[in-house]
Amino acid sequence: MKQKNLINKINQLKKKHNAIILVHNYQLPEVQDIADFRGDSLELSRIAANTKAKVIVFCGVYFMAETASILCPDKKVIIPDKDSSCPLANMLTVKQLRALKEKYPKATVVGYVNTSAQVKAELDVCCTSTNAVKVINALKDKKQILFVPDKHLADYVSKVTGRRLITWDGFCPTHLCIRVSDIIREKKFHPKAKVIVHPECRKEVIALADEVLSTSGMAKFVKENRAREFIVGTEVGIIYRLKKDNPHKEFYAASEAAVCPNMKRITQEKVLWSLQTLKDEVCVSEEIRCRAKKAIERMLQIA
Ligand code: CIZ
């Protein structure tokens, strides 16, 4: 089908089903182009919760669509490719988390949003890369904190807050593709560029950054900052958005290897299929949903 026809069909079906398309910052350009809203996982979930639309087409990895479903049980959340999973989220199972909680029974458990709904149900508080520092700072009275599953984010948060955290050995394989040598090379090519990196990067990379930011933090920072050039240390998909929003600025990927294959599974064809079939629906059991929602609500109260 020709691209124009495909987009027309998507728009007709959106109207028919009262649907909106939410697209994560790391998605393919063709998917970003049909977004009603783009953002990070929490921004998108909050839009999902507040929209009048009845159907949410969530273009991101599975845990993100689950988060939207946790926050809006009255809506149908569908994902155009249910196999878009997050390797970092898959690195911590409920069983592993329960064993860790048994080892540290008095610890407050903080979990990154990159976790399954079942793992979220075991948390005291959830956090995102935008608010992790705020969340930890708000737990001043807590003696012991477990921070799961990303050890690099935990290391960064620990450094900024001065809090010792008990961590898990999880990591994002895509962010680990970004190396110190990449930043050094790009800085040589673009000496005036500001280096912005994601806190899921390794600490040696973070040490070379001008700013450490989530994807929504990056979108805001580059818009407001006077610099005209930026070296971007995160999944390369965000560069399409940054360039589209800031056509007069230049963006250079710290590493072209930082591609998340799961984020690239969704295409315009799959979005059309999703709207034609209203599949695949993301379902979280009511018991898990209510417990997971509490951890998200605690985060929202703090941040
Ligand atoms: O919360 C998100 O969307 C993730 C995983 C990263 C980010 O910084 O946007």
Side-chain angles (χ1 to χ4, degrees):
M1 198 186 299
K2 282 215 175 90
Q3 207 203 14
K4 211 170 157 193
N5 285 348
L6 206 141
I7 294 175
N8 281 343
K9 275 217 149 65
I10 289 174
N11 286 334
Q12 281 165 15
L13 287 165
K14 264 174 46 181
K15 232 186 214 160
K16 177 177 168 195
H17 296 303
N18 189 7
I20 55 167
I21 301 177
L22 303 184
V23 176
H24 190 269
N25 293 324
Y26 292 154
Q27 289 283 296
L28 285 175
E30 66 174 63
V31 181
Q32 295 196 31
D33 283 344
I34 53 167
D36 290 301
F37 297 97
R38 299 159 306 167
D40 67 21
S41 61
L42 184 66
E43 280 175 331
L44 296 177
S45 293
R46 293 175 98 167
I47 289 166
N50 292 322
T51 179
K52 287 199 169 76
K54 290 272 176 278
V55 174
I56 313 292
V57 184
F58 203 109
C59 302
V61 286
Y62 199 82
F63 81 82
M64 298 177 174
E66 263 188 347
T67 309
S69 175
I70 290 165
L71 291 180
C72 45
D74 53 324
K75 287 161 196 152
K76 197 179 186 87
V77 178
I78 54 177
I79 184 162
D81 188 321
K82 68 173 181 350
D83 296 322
S84 307
S85 66
C86 167
L88 169 58
N90 296 342
M91 284 178 199
L92 180 66
T93 63
V94 185
K95 203 170 157 199
Q96 287 168 323
L97 181 54
R98 285 190 183 148
L100 197 63
K101 283 168 72 171
E102 257 171 46
K103 198 167 162 196
Y104 301 100
K106 293 201 175 128
T108 299
V109 188
V110 180
Y112 191 26
V113 68
N114 297 41
T115 44
S116 66
Q118 282 173 315
V119 165
K120 282 191 183 74
E122 297 285 324
L123 304 175
D124 293 307
V125 199
C126 190
C127 74
T128 67
S129 40
T130 303
N131 60 33
V133 166
K134 245 188 193 167
V135 168
I136 296 301
N137 276 334
L139 301 174
K140 281 209 165 62
D141 57 325
K142 307 292 180 202
K143 285 219 162 62
Q144 213 175 34
I145 300 175
L146 268 173
F147 190 102
V148 294
D150 189 318
K151 64 179 173 185
H152 297 287
L153 177 63
D155 184 74
Y156 169 70
V157 171
S158 175
K159 203 158 271 158
V160 175
T161 61
R163 284 298 303 260
R164 215 183 129 255
L165 303 171
I166 302 162
T167 60
W168 185 250
D169 195 23
F171 57 89
C172 165
T174 299
H175 281 95
L176 287 206
C177 292
I178 303 166
R179 299 183 171 276
V180 165
S181 56
D182 293 320
I183 306 288
I184 293 172
R185 182 195 59 241
E186 291 305 313
K187 276 177 88 162
K188 225 180 250 171
F189 285 140
H190 314 290
K192 289 191 182 147
K194 285 237 179 277
V195 179
I196 54 176
V197 309
H198 197 275
E200 288 175 27
C201 288
R202 49 181 99 231
K203 65 170 178 286
E204 299 82 359
V205 167
I206 287 180
L208 296 178
D210 293 305
E211 298 291 333
V212 183
L213 299 160
S214 64
T215 60
S216 53
M218 286 182 184
K220 187 166 183 282
F221 179 79
V222 303
K223 203 171 245 176
E224 291 169 359
N225 197 272
R226 293 172 66 176
R228 306 201 62 79
E229 292 178 280
F230 301 86
I231 295 163
V232 183
T234 190
E235 211 278 344
V236 296
I238 195 171
I239 291 184
Y240 183 73
R241 171 182 176 172
L242 297 180
K243 187 69 193 161
K244 209 170 169 182
D245 291 353
N246 307 274
H248 304 302
K249 297 191 175 186
E250 296 300 330
F251 302 94
Y252 314 107
S255 167
E256 294 288 352
V259 178
C260 171
N262 295 288
M263 279 286 180
K264 310 305 179 207
R265 293 182 69 97
I266 295 173
T267 58
Q268 286 187 351
E269 272 92 355
K270 287 185 187 171
V271 172
L272 175 61
W273 170 83
S274 242
L275 281 162
Q276 283 167 334
T277 58
L278 294 184
K279 282 184 184 164
D280 276 311
E281 187 169 3
V282 177
C283 296
V284 179
S285 79
E286 192 56 14
E287 191 256 331
I288 296 286
R289 193 189 73 77
C290 291
R291 285 167 46 212
K293 191 166 178 238
K294 272 191 194 146
I296 298 172
E297 277 171 352
R298 279 199 72 191
M299 164 181 78
L300 296 177
Q301 276 161 13
I302 293 169

